[in-house]
């Protein structure tokens, strides 16, 4: 975040209104603007993304994925404000996932509970313990700090859908910003994950699944979200997850930050590149189906969550992780007991 220093004779007027003193330099455009103009352009850009991409229809029930962090807190505030100002006609809810991380998620959920009161939005919390019988603290105790983000990411995606189903919403909106999407493009290239590369820049995903997900912040820089939260004095939780320091995504994040320092436009250009990728027609893509065990969307007989959960319950936490895990998964299907991981009523 870059705030313009307020020293006599050195502060320029806002380049948009030319009336008030500039308070910050926009990371995306490098314009020096005042707070009032920043609020206006920030909110208007998100409104235009919502309208131009027809993300919502009047009367829809929308769940806002709320973690208590800056992205989801600003998303909840802006969605509530734009819904009121532009009469979207949406019923908004906060939806949180409690992964069971002591000293992190329990504290951030207290922030979400305050947001529930501050923004007047009903809150629903679903937990790994209730859904899967495990907390992330228990999982990390068994598997260690390597590959723990794989478990958390897979379980969280499904937990959000389960919570959304309980709320009977039409769509889920998440706070994924431009930086996040650019990181994902880079990650999918590094992993050679063609299937995800083909859809990771879509502003709406899961339209062929039970509940679509939208990303109103697709073109919004992380730095500007931080600036908005700072100037608006929004109540959010800023501590990083205690189990994520070694996450593979972190290296992509540092790479993106280095590029942004050299050329701020690089983030949007990476997203544009991802949007324009074309997959060769000869490339075999996974076919979407449903998990035989829990009914969740999956390109395999069992969804990833069921495979990982089976490994935990059988004391084989590496089942389904990496090449060896996939082979073990295939070899073990003949002897796997029918331990249900929870059915989904979609």
């Amino acid at each position: 975040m870059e705030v313009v220093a307020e020293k006599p004779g050195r502060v320029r007027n806002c380049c948009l209104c030319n009336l008030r003193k500039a308070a910050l330099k926009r990371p995306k455009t490098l314009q020096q603007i005042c707070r009032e103009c920043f609020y206006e352009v920030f909110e208007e850009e998100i409104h235009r993304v919502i309208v131009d991409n027809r993300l919502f229809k009047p009367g829809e029930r929308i769940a806002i994925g709320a973690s208590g962090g800056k992205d989801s807190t600003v998303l909840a505030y802006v969605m509530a404000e734009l819904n009121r100002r532009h009469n979207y006609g949406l019923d908004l809810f906060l939806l949180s996932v409690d992964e069971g991380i002591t000293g992190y998620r329990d504290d951030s959920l207290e922030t979400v509970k305050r947001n529930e009161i501050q923004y007047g939005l009903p809150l629903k919390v679903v937990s790994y313990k209730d859904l899967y019988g495990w907390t992330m603290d228990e999982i990390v105790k068994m598997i260690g700090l390597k590959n723990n983000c794989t478990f958390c990411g897979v379980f969280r995606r499904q937990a959000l859908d389960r919570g959304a189903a309980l709320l009977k919403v039409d769509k889920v909106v998440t706070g994924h910003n431009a930086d996040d999407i650019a990181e994902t493009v880079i990650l999918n290239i590094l992993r050679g994950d063609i299937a995800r590369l083909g859809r990771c820049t879509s502003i709406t995903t899961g339209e062929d699944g039970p509940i679509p997900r939208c990303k109103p912040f697709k073109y919004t820089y992380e730095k500007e979200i931080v600036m908005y939260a700072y100037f608006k004095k929004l109540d959010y939780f800023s501590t990083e997850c205690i189990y994520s320091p070694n996450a593979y995504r972190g290296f992509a994040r540092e790479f993106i930050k280095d590029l942004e320092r050299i050329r701020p436009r690089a983030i949007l250009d990476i997203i544009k590149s991802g949007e324009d990728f074309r997959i060769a027609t000869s490339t075999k893509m996974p076919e979407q189906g449903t998990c035989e065990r829990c009914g969740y969307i999956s390109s395999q007989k069992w969804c990833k969550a069921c495979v990982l959960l089976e490994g935990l319950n059988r004391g084989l936490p590496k089942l389904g992780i990496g090449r060896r895990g996939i082979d073990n998964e295939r070899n073990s299907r003949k002897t796997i007991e029918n331990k249900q991981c929870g059915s989904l009523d979609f």
Side-chain angles (χ1 to χ4, degrees):
M1 179 175 67
E2 185 172 351
V3 179
V4 176
E6 297 185 0
K7 294 182 179 180
R10 298 188 63 181
V11 180
R12 297 180 181 177
N13 278 0
C14 171
C15 68
L16 296 181
C17 69
N18 202 32
L19 297 174
R20 294 174 289 265
K21 297 297 183 183
L24 69 150
K25 181 187 289 185
R26 291 194 70 188
K28 184 190 294 186
T29 63
L30 303 182
Q31 293 173 310
Q32 294 192 18
I33 59 178
C34 63
R35 293 190 188 191
E36 290 76 6
C37 284
F38 173 60
Y39 299 153
E40 184 177 341
V41 296
F42 183 89
E43 294 165 1
E44 180 61 21
E45 285 179 4
I46 296 166
H47 171 61
R48 292 295 355 141
V49 168
I50 291 172
V51 172
D52 293 347
N53 292 277
R54 299 178 181 178
L55 296 188
F56 312 116
K57 297 176 183 177
E60 286 187 326
R61 293 167 62 89
I62 306 297
I64 302 169
S67 66
K70 63 185 183 314
D71 298 314
S72 63
T73 299
V74 172
L75 178 64
Y77 178 88
V78 172
M79 283 294 298
E81 177 65 21
L82 295 180
N83 187 43
R84 179 195 60 77
R85 183 187 306 166
H86 297 287
N87 195 27
Y88 291 162
L90 306 175
D91 288 328
L92 300 176
F93 303 84
L94 297 177
L95 174 58
S96 293
V97 176
D98 181 2
E99 300 94 341
I101 303 176
T102 305
Y104 169 67
R105 184 55 72 211
D106 47 357
D107 291 339
S108 69
L109 283 175
E110 291 303 313
T111 303
V112 178
K113 291 173 184 176
R114 293 195 298 271
N115 293 158
E116 175 187 16
I117 298 170
Q118 293 160 351
Y119 308 149
L121 302 176
L123 169 64
K124 175 68 177 177
V125 180
V126 293
S127 72
Y128 284 8
K129 189 66 174 178
D130 291 340
L131 294 174
Y132 309 115
W134 292 79
T135 66
M136 275 308 298
D137 285 341
E138 293 168 342
I139 293 172
V140 170
K141 188 175 180 179
M142 174 180 278
I143 70 170
L145 289 174
K146 188 175 181 180
N147 296 318
N148 58 286
C149 287
T150 297
F151 284 83
C152 196
V154 170
F155 288 162
R156 193 194 303 104
R157 282 191 292 272
Q158 192 177 108
L160 269 177
D161 280 338
R162 292 188 178 202
L166 291 172
L167 286 172
K168 294 181 171 59
V169 297
D170 299 291
K171 292 185 179 78
V172 175
V173 294
T174 62
H176 290 97
N177 56 52
D179 300 57
D180 297 327
I181 296 173
E183 290 165 14
T184 304
V185 171
I186 297 297
L187 279 174
N188 288 331
I189 291 174
L190 294 175
R191 289 170 173 161
D193 194 333
I194 301 301
R196 285 192 175 90
L197 182 60
R199 63 176 184 266
C200 70
T201 56
S202 299
I203 195 165
T204 300
T205 57
E207 292 175 291
D208 54 348
I211 301 173
R213 296 190 188 187
C214 304
K215 300 185 280 281
F217 284 173
K218 176 181 176 180
Y219 301 109
T220 306
Y221 277 33
E222 181 180 49
K223 285 182 178 178
E224 297 206 346
I225 293 172
V226 174
M227 287 181 178
Y228 188 88
Y230 172 75
F231 284 128
K232 285 281 188 178
K233 295 181 171 57
L234 299 185
D235 183 5
Y236 69 93
F237 185 76
S238 57
T239 302
E240 291 292 329
C241 177
I242 60 176
Y243 295 142
S244 67
N246 298 317
Y248 189 37
R249 177 176 285 272
F251 297 99
R253 181 175 296 117
E254 288 303 312
F255 176 64
I256 294 295
K257 296 302 181 190
D258 289 342
L259 288 178
E260 184 187 12
R261 279 191 284 270
I262 299 169
R263 186 168 176 270
R265 179 80 192 178
I267 291 175
L268 293 179
D269 289 341
I270 291 173
I271 295 175
K272 183 67 168 61
S273 297
E275 291 172 337
D276 292 342
F277 276 131
R278 295 293 177 265
I279 310 301
T281 55
S282 59
T283 302
K284 186 177 180 180
M285 303 293 282
E287 296 181 5
Q288 196 78 285
T290 56
C291 174
E292 291 181 353
R293 173 179 260 197
C294 72
Y296 191 70
I297 53 173
S298 175
S299 58
Q300 305 293 330
K301 286 187 177 182
W302 283 25
C303 70
K304 191 71 170 179
C306 282
V307 173
L308 294 175
L309 188 61
E310 181 65 23
L312 290 172
N313 290 333
R314 294 176 63 201
L316 301 171
K318 293 185 179 179
L319 189 70
I321 295 178
R323 185 73 251 166
R324 183 176 298 176
I326 293 172
D327 292 338
N328 288 340
E329 170 198 338
R330 289 171 178 166
N331 293 333
S332 66
R333 277 183 181 154
K334 295 178 182 179
T335 58
I336 284 177
E337 298 173 6
N338 188 25
K339 299 176 184 175
Q340 192 159 351
C341 77
S343 59
L344 294 174
D345 296 326
F346 290 126

